[in-house]
Amino acid sequence: MSKKYVIEVSHISKHFRVFKDKGYTLKDIVLFKARRTYEERQVIKDISFKVRKGEAVGLIGKNGCGKSTTLKLLTRIMYPDSGIINIKGRVSSLLELGAGFHPDMSGRHNIYINAAIFGLTRKEIDLRLDSIIKFSELEEFIDNPVRTYSSGMYMRLAFAVAINVDADVLLIDEILAVGDMSFQAKCFNRLKEIKAKGVTIVIVSHSLSQIEEICDRSIWIKDGIVEMEGTPEKVHEEYKKYMMNN
């Protein structure tokens, strides 16, 4: 892996089995074999790109193009069928709202669980706890079960944990679309601060304006391959033309 790159994605592919009517019990499997038909769906065909240290990159494309799957492959939640992904350093991710949270535990307890998943020790979490709670603006509710939280409160807590991990790479999938305008602005300001410290950021978003605000480069994924990459303004102009005509 080249020293100047933090992320290297080389010719990855990924397919899924999409069942038309999948049975889950032994009875269903034995009695209704004909109903367990499926089709192989190739979501990612051949994607390659590299990201430098401290660079912010946006992944764009219409629904089903493979951008969120690509991000999940970067987090190693799943693995590619072929190709290679190399990432240097600690990775922090915001993929699905409340992922890793236990609904019956308090916000405080979930901070410890979520941060531990990212690799922090108990001592490291203790040192960051006050900063996480303060950024989330959930002081009044931090000891309530997270099942009582709104979607915006979930996002505040998840984002506050992720940005306090001191990661080398931060991966974000659409989560910044949740929450009020003031907190979104606060999140973007913090992302800019994180980027200025040399953290590498990859964002999946349908909001082209968000990507243009934070990212140095955009990668347009179309039907499982990289259609175009370059400055956000240039790539987005071509992407908008394509979307207008399709």
Side-chain angles (χ1 to χ4, degrees):
M1 185 174 181
S2 173
K3 292 183 179 180
K4 66 179 180 179
Y5 295 112
V6 175
I7 300 173
E8 287 188 1
V9 177
S10 179
H11 301 290
I12 60 170
S13 68
K14 184 67 179 177
H15 80 281
F16 297 96
R17 287 183 176 180
V18 181
F19 285 85
K20 297 179 180 178
D21 188 8
K22 184 179 180 180
Y24 293 95
T25 66
L26 180 61
K27 179 181 177 181
D28 289 338
I29 293 171
V30 173
L31 297 180
F32 306 108
K33 289 183 179 180
R35 291 166 56 183
R36 290 176 54 81
T37 58
Y38 62 85
E39 60 177 300
E40 299 279 355
R41 186 169 298 172
Q42 191 83 10
V43 178
I44 296 176
K45 298 174 183 176
D46 184 7
I47 288 180
S48 299
F49 62 86
K50 299 177 181 180
V51 185
R52 293 181 175 85
K53 177 178 173 58
E55 187 179 20
V57 173
L59 304 182
I60 66 168
K62 66 181 183 179
N63 290 331
C65 70
K67 58 187 185 298
S68 291
T69 300
T70 299
L71 206 68
K72 288 177 181 177
L73 293 172
L74 292 177
T75 65
R76 296 186 174 91
I77 289 175
M78 58 180 71
Y79 292 87
D81 298 327
S82 62
I84 299 171
I85 296 175
N86 287 316
I87 301 179
K88 294 179 182 176
R90 177 184 279 174
V91 177
S92 181
S93 60
L94 285 163
L95 298 187
E96 295 182 7
L97 201 59
F101 286 175
H102 192 295
D104 293 323
M105 290 185 177
S106 68
R108 188 185 302 273
H109 286 137
N110 273 290
I111 289 172
Y112 279 92
I113 294 171
N114 216 236
I117 291 171
F118 288 135
L120 268 64
T121 65
R122 177 66 183 244
K123 186 177 180 179
E124 288 175 322
I125 302 169
D126 287 339
L127 292 172
R128 292 167 169 78
L129 184 62
D130 289 341
S131 296
I132 292 171
I133 296 173
K134 183 178 179 181
F135 188 91
S136 71
E137 301 175 0
L138 294 174
E139 292 93 340
E140 185 180 350
F141 309 99
I142 200 63
D143 291 308
N144 294 350
V146 297
R147 58 181 161 76
T148 66
Y149 287 9
S150 67
S151 59
M153 293 165 74
Y154 257 97
M155 188 275 287
R156 287 169 184 248
L157 191 61
F159 190 88
V161 174
I163 63 171
N164 278 281
V165 171
D166 290 341
D168 301 293
V169 178
L170 180 60
L171 309 174
I172 304 173
D173 187 0
E174 289 291 359
I175 194 170
L176 293 180
V178 182
D180 55 50
M181 291 180 65
S182 63
F183 193 76
Q184 284 189 29
K186 182 179 178 180
C187 290
F188 267 97
N189 288 334
R190 181 56 66 89
L191 283 178
K192 290 175 182 176
E193 292 174 8
I194 290 171
K195 181 187 172 188
K197 292 179 181 178
V199 175
T200 303
I201 301 171
V202 180
I203 299 176
V204 167
S205 180
H206 286 290
S207 174
L208 302 184
S209 60
Q210 285 184 349
I211 290 177
E212 288 168 8
E213 186 175 349
I214 193 79
C215 293
D216 307 295
R217 185 160 51 100
S218 283
I219 299 175
W220 171 15
I221 297 176
K222 176 184 173 186
D223 299 329
I225 62 173
V226 174
E227 178 72 11
M228 184 180 180
E229 63 177 299
T231 61
E233 293 77 13
K234 185 176 180 180
V235 174
H236 296 175
E237 182 180 357
E238 295 303 314
Y239 176 65
K240 287 175 184 176
K241 289 178 183 177
Y242 165 77
M243 292 300 289
M244 289 289 289
N245 295 321
N246 288 272

